[in-house]
Amino acid sequence: MPELPEVETTRRGIRSALRGHRITGMVLREPRLRWPVDPGLVTGLPGQQVRDVRRRAKYLLIELERGTLIAHLGMSGSLRVLPAVAPLLAHDHYDLLLDTGRCLRFNDPRRFGSLLWVTGDPAEHPLLARLGPEPLEREFDADYLAGKARGRKVAIKQFLMDQHVVVGVGNIYASEALFRAGISPRRAAGRVSAVRLEDLVGAVRDVLAEAIRQGGTTLRDYVNAEGTPGYFRQKLYVYERAGEPCRRCRTAVRQIVQGQRSTYYCPACHK
Ligand SMILES: [Zn+2]
């Protein structure tokens, strides 16, 4: 599943191809995504110039002259910039044709992705309005996290994955950040000391920034905007390494289930 680093990698990959260019057409082959794609876009988008491509959590915001497209990759989606004449693959659901002769093409075998259109401030859209801060921005700091964690009995790993606390820390990066900060994923959020929360904020930032630098983590069905896999998988300390030796202390990595998701941790590396 594309997580924040994969979405940010996609944003960087498509931004230069889109920004300042005009949409000349839209081909909608399959409107039945997570939510139906408005067929009015086929006539409404052509002629509009792309002002910028931003990101909020795992949503890509394609800002046009008269509104914003909110695109989500879902579980298995990818957005690529290709020549408009490039042969179609199975599950290619829409193309935004550009004045450069290229297109932005969305492929998604599982169709949990989405494409929505808003004319007002996208930050006020119900999908975005109640999200927590971005993990790589200043707002996300130890004081903020301590305030949110106070009195909470939920396990720190699930707390960290709560989009109302902070966005974009998915399963892989939550396990990795907790390992780096030396915090047991099972510890109650409200019982993690302020000093350790500070370490955790640093670890979340580091792990996400490194993953973005590496182009995301290689997942079975993930490719970035250039169609190449990410390389962050080689840097993972614990994720999907159950039974393998911890890269720090050689103790076998353990796997447990929390909130229906696998958590990986080293039982010796946390205090
Ligand atoms: Zn260890």
Side-chain angles (χ1 to χ4, degrees), residues 10 13-18 79-84 98 100 102-105 224-227:
T10 297
I14 68 176
R15 183 172 181 246
S16 59
L18 266 68
L79 277 167
R80 291 195 230 179
V81 174
L82 298 165
L98 301 164
T100 53
R102 299 206 280 175
C103 72
L104 181 70
R105 182 169 288 173
N224 62 26
E226 282 84 48

Side-chain angles (χ1 to χ4, degrees), residues 116-153:
L116 299 168
W117 171 250
V118 292
T119 49
D121 181 358
E124 287 168 16
H125 189 278
L127 287 171
L128 306 185
R130 296 184 57 222
L131 294 175
E134 289 286 326
L136 295 172
E137 290 187 6
R138 272 217 200 106
E139 219 185 323
F140 177 65
D141 63 14
D143 283 345
Y144 165 81
L145 204 58
K148 282 283 183 187
R150 198 163 295 132
R152 296 288 306 274
K153 293 192 172 74

Side-chain angles (χ1 to χ4, degrees), residues 179 246-251 266-269:
F179 173 82
C246 169
R247 294 198 207 275
R248 277 205 188 125
C249 74
R250 316 300 296 166
T251 302
C266 170
C269 270

Side-chain angles (χ1 to χ4, degrees), residues 48-139:
Q48 294 204 53
Q49 193 182 43
V50 180
R51 292 240 161 101
D52 205 354
V53 181
R54 295 188 302 122
R55 178 187 58 73
R56 175 73 173 110
K58 296 205 296 181
Y59 295 94
L60 288 164
L61 308 178
I62 303 172
E63 298 178 347
L64 306 179
E65 288 168 290
R66 294 191 298 277
T68 304
L69 287 166
I70 304 178
H72 197 282
L73 302 177
M75 309 281 288
S76 59
S78 61
L79 277 167
R80 291 195 230 179
V81 174
L82 298 165
V85 295
L88 289 175
L89 301 174
H91 316 295
D92 279 342
H93 301 316
Y94 67 76
D95 291 356
L96 295 183
L97 307 175
L98 301 164
D99 60 9
T100 53
R102 299 206 280 175
C103 72
L104 181 70
R105 182 169 288 173
F106 181 63
N107 185 283
D108 186 3
R110 297 182 64 181
R111 286 199 274 120
F112 280 105
S114 56
L115 185 70
L116 299 168
W117 171 250
V118 292
T119 49
D121 181 358
E124 287 168 16
H125 189 278
L127 287 171
L128 306 185
R130 296 184 57 222
L131 294 175
E134 289 286 326
L136 295 172
E137 290 187 6
R138 272 217 200 106
E139 219 185 323

Side-chain angles (χ1 to χ4, degrees), residues 4-51:
L4 186 143
E6 288 78 8
V7 178
E8 178 60 20
T9 300
T10 297
R11 185 188 75 85
R12 294 178 184 186
I14 68 176
R15 183 172 181 246
S16 59
L18 266 68
R19 197 160 66 134
H21 291 289
R22 215 163 277 283
I23 293 175
T24 55
M26 181 188 189
V27 182
L28 182 58
R29 298 182 195 88
E30 175 54 270
R32 292 170 301 171
L33 300 184
R34 178 165 183 185
W35 297 290
V37 179
D38 177 1
L41 295 181
V42 173
T43 50
L45 297 182
Q48 294 204 53
Q49 193 182 43
V50 180
R51 292 240 161 101

